[in-house]
């Protein structure tokens, strides 16, 4: 399953922060919560609905701690976006024993169509939290330096 805003099982939001922007994703699994946090990261730049999922990229991250894995994941997306000059709007994540493998899809930045608002510099340890909620729900959040 690829996750986009409006999914029945997962959601994202931006959290208030005085100087930067907090991102939070929820899902029925930790992988879905990470996918939604990535979508929230894209939404820092533009409306994710404007991003076509035309090109595919595989991403790999590792960390023994889930919260640090979230930072690694989001920073990898920031790096790939900056170096490839792309935005990503579709994410499929698997997480097993501290290893995250993802297939992300997106397209080159089109300033007229995407109307980028800001450029994320990186995910931080501020507000970093990955938690299992009630039932099978998970949330993943941190502050993005902009």
């Amino acid at each position: 399953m690829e996750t986009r805003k409006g999914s029945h099982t997962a959601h994202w939001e931006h959290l208030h922060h005085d100087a930067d922007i907090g991102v939070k994703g929820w899902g029925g699994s930790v992988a879905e919560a990470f996918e939604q946090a990535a979508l929230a990261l894209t939404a820092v730049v533009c409306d994710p609905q404007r991003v076509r999922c035309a090109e595919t990229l595989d991403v790999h991250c590792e960390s023994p701690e889930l919260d640090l894995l979230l930072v690694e994941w989001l920073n990898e997306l920031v790096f790939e976006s900056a170096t490839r000059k792309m935005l990503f709007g579709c994410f499929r994540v698997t997480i097993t024993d501290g290893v995250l493998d993802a297939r992300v899809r997106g397209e080159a930045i089109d300033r007229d169509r995407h109307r980028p608002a800001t450029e994320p510099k990186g995910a931080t340890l501020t507000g970093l939290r990955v938690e299992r909620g009630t039932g099978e729900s998970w949330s993943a959040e941190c502050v993005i330096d902009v």
Side-chain angles (χ1 to χ4, degrees):
M1 176 182 119
E2 287 182 334
T3 302
R4 293 199 69 118
K5 182 179 179 183
S7 165
H8 295 293
T9 60
H11 308 282
W12 61 266
E13 72 175 342
H14 288 151
L15 305 172
H16 174 75
H17 188 272
D18 288 340
D20 296 308
I21 297 175
V23 296
K24 183 174 185 176
W26 295 272
S29 68
V30 69
E32 282 184 0
F34 276 45
E35 291 168 352
Q36 290 299 307
L39 206 49
L41 175 65
T42 298
V44 169
V45 180
C46 73
D47 179 352
Q49 298 294 331
R50 293 176 187 243
V51 179
R52 296 181 187 140
C53 298
E55 297 180 39
T56 301
L57 175 70
D58 292 324
V59 174
H60 176 88
C61 305
E62 295 183 30
S63 177
E65 303 294 331
L66 270 178
D67 54 354
L68 296 178
L69 189 59
L70 176 65
V71 171
E72 292 290 324
W73 160 236
L74 296 176
N75 278 332
E76 188 66 24
L77 293 175
V78 168
F79 172 79
E80 294 295 344
S81 179
T83 58
R84 296 173 187 270
K85 302 193 182 321
M86 291 181 66
L87 292 170
F88 303 106
C90 300
F91 307 92
R92 187 175 54 204
V93 171
T94 60
I95 299 173
T96 306
D97 297 330
V99 177
L100 180 151
D101 286 300
R103 177 152 287 180
V104 301
R105 295 171 48 203
E107 66 175 336
I109 295 172
D110 178 329
R111 294 206 172 276
D112 291 333
R113 189 162 39 83
H114 295 130
R115 292 184 242 150
T118 188
E119 183 176 0
K121 295 176 186 163
T124 71
L125 301 178
T126 303
L128 180 59
R129 186 174 306 133
V130 176
E131 295 177 327
R132 186 176 195 152
T134 58
E136 295 298 316
S137 68
W138 284 83
S139 65
E141 65 185 87
C142 74
V143 170
I144 303 297
D145 182 19
V146 294

